[in-house]
């Protein structure tokens, strides 16, 4: 089963910057919208942050204690919502930033949720199926008091997938003594998952690429596309781009990249990738992730992890459009450089919101016990994403700001309003 998103070539701990830069943009967005400072004070950090210790019996008979987090950024609009990431580099500040981004995503696509996020410091690539099951169940037991279908609804993220969601749902249902499919999204179809959820993030990115290409007069047919990351988002996206007639000339995973100016054989690569999105280890002539990002192309999609486009390489990016499928792949400084160079940057909080949009559809289907066809899901997702893209694009134009700041302004307004109506500020 595919893990959500995928590549990891993070080498340094730069997560503090991720939270800090998010706070900087939130502050600017609120200021431009005319909100007083106390609104920023409320929104700059999650309302709630739980740290848990999870003891897991390992296959060798030892017990290993893992550290996990669940951040609930703001629940003024509705229950909090967001994925759980299993990764060795997870930190408290990263999870906090990720929960704020979920608030923004839900605001931009107008879902009745606030943002939440979870993470466990672990390396699932080095764990057995049974150890992963024990860890997933242990995490749910540890956070069970603050989550639930009307409180906080987890989902997949980096290196977690529908099997992990199934174990978590089962554990929660045992604690709750009810079958509770609405506790978590991204489940297998047979347990109340939704058609189209696995490919939803990539579908949303595809829609954003199409709309951005229209704005820049670029035809998708024959366009040269480079994708960093071959996990859930990157791999489905490569397929969708290939099907749309674009030439995917570069892809990468955590270990390196592949490049062919004539276009890569995407079907072959998809067939050979493992469940963590690794495929380049099968090849000899690989390029580095750094080289991949700087390839001459029309559309660049960072679909891996944070801080990949920085002030060090932003001047070397040759793409005309950058669409962020990963969370936080471009730093604040790099956003400025790309914008000044006339490159259209479609921000993560808009471009990667297809995943949570279909998660919402899944939750609605669970709540009503009535399930939709794949066509219904796709049609609804298309409407939501096209609408959101255009709102953000037009706001950027009319306010003369880049699309990231425009997206933050739209995303943060709703939670600020809801907090005000509730009398919190
Ligand atoms: N983890 C995904 C994201 O970062 C999806 C979250 C969800 O479906 O709730 O947007």
């Amino acid at each position: 089963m595919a893990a959500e998103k995928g590549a990891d070539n993070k080498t340094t701990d730069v997560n503090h910057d991720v939270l800090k830069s998010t706070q900087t943009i939130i502050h600017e967005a609120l200021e431009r919208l005319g909100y007083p400072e106390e609104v920023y004070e409320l929104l700059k950090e999650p309302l709630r942050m739980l740290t848990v210790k999870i003891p897991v019996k390992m296959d060798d008979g030892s017990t290993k204690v893992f550290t996990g987090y669940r951040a609930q950024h703001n629940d003024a609009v509705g229950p909090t919502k967001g994925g759980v990431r299993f990764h060795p580099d997870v930190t408290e500040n990263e999870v906090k930033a990720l929960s704020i981004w979920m608030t923004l995503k839900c605001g931009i696509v107008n879902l009745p949720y606030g943002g939440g996020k979870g993470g466990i410091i672990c390396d699932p690539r080095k764990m057995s199926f049974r150890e992963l099951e024990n860890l997933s169940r242990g995490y749910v037991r540890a956070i069970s008091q603050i989550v639930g279908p009307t409180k906080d609804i987890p989902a997949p993220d980096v290196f977690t997938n529908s099997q992990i969601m199934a174990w978590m749902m089962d554990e929660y249902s045992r604690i709750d003594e009810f079958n509770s499919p609405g506790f978590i999204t991204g489940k297998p179809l047979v347990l109340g998952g939704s058609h189209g959820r696995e490919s939803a993030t990539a579908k949303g990115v595809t829609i954003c690429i199409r709309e951005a290409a229209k704005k820049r007069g670029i035809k998708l047919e024959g366009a040269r596309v480079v994708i960093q990351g071959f996990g859930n988002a990157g791999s489905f996206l490569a397929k969708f781009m290939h099907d749309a007639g674009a030439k995917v000339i570069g892809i990468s995973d955590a270990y390196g990249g592949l490049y062919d100016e004539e276009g890569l054989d995407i079907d072959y690569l998809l067939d050979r990738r493992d469940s963590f999105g690794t495929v380049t280890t099968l090849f000899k002539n690989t390029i580095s992730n750094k080289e991949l990002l700087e390839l001459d192309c029309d559309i660049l999609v960072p679909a891996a992890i944070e801080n990949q486009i920085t002030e060090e390489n932003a001047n070397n990016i040759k793409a005309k459009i950058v669409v962020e499928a990963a969370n936080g792949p471009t730093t604040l400084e790099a956003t400025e450089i790309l914008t000044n160079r006339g490159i259209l940057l479609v921000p993560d909080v808009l471009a990667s919101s297809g995943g949570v949009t279909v998660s919402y559809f899944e939750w609605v289907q669970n709540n009503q016990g009535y399930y939709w066809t794949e066509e219904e899901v796709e049609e609804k997702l298309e409407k939501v994403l096209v609408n959101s893209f255009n709102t953000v694009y037009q706001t950027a134009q009319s306010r003369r700001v880049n699309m990231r700041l425009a997206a933050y302004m739209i995303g943060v307004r709703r939670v600020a309003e809801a907090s005000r109506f509730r009398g919190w500020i």
Side-chain angles (χ1 to χ4, degrees), residues 43 108 166 170 186 247 261 279 287 327 334 339 357 376 398 413 419 424-425:
L43 298 178
I108 291 163
D170 184 66
K247 238 192 326 185
E261 62 178 19
V279 71
I287 59 172
N327 288 308
T339 308
T357 302
E376 282 174 278
S398 63
R413 174 183 270 148
S419 300
W424 293 356
I425 39 175

Side-chain angles (χ1 to χ4, degrees), residues 4-5 81-85 98 102 105-106 113 116-117 153-158 185-186 197 201 327 352-360:
E4 181 105 338
K5 296 191 182 124
K81 178 92 192 80
V84 183
R85 138 179 324 205
L98 285 160
M102 287 312 302
K105 288 188 206 190
C106 295
Y113 296 137
K117 198 80 176 198
I153 305 129
D157 197 74
V158 174
T185 59
R197 174 60 188 90
T201 309
N327 288 308
S352 72
S353 61
V356 71
T357 302
V358 177
S359 271
Y360 166 63

Side-chain angles (χ1 to χ4, degrees), residues 222-261:
R224 294 162 309 152
V225 180
V226 170
I227 302 169
Q228 185 201 28
F230 214 50
N232 171 282
S235 62
F236 274 111
L237 181 67
K239 175 92 185 117
F240 294 152
M241 287 291 102
H242 182 65
D243 292 349
K247 238 192 326 185
V248 181
I249 61 167
I251 64 109
S252 73
D253 57 28
Y255 307 95
L258 300 172
Y259 168 63
D260 183 346
E261 62 178 19

Side-chain angles (χ1 to χ4, degrees), residues 183-215:
F183 156 65
I184 203 162
T185 59
K187 300 178 294 293
L189 274 183
V190 70
L191 293 182
S194 175
H195 283 291
R197 174 60 188 90
E198 262 210 305
S199 59
T201 309
K203 267 268 152 63
V205 178
T206 305
I207 295 166
C208 287
I209 291 176
R210 194 189 63 210
E211 297 303 308
K214 270 193 224 160
K215 300 286 183 204

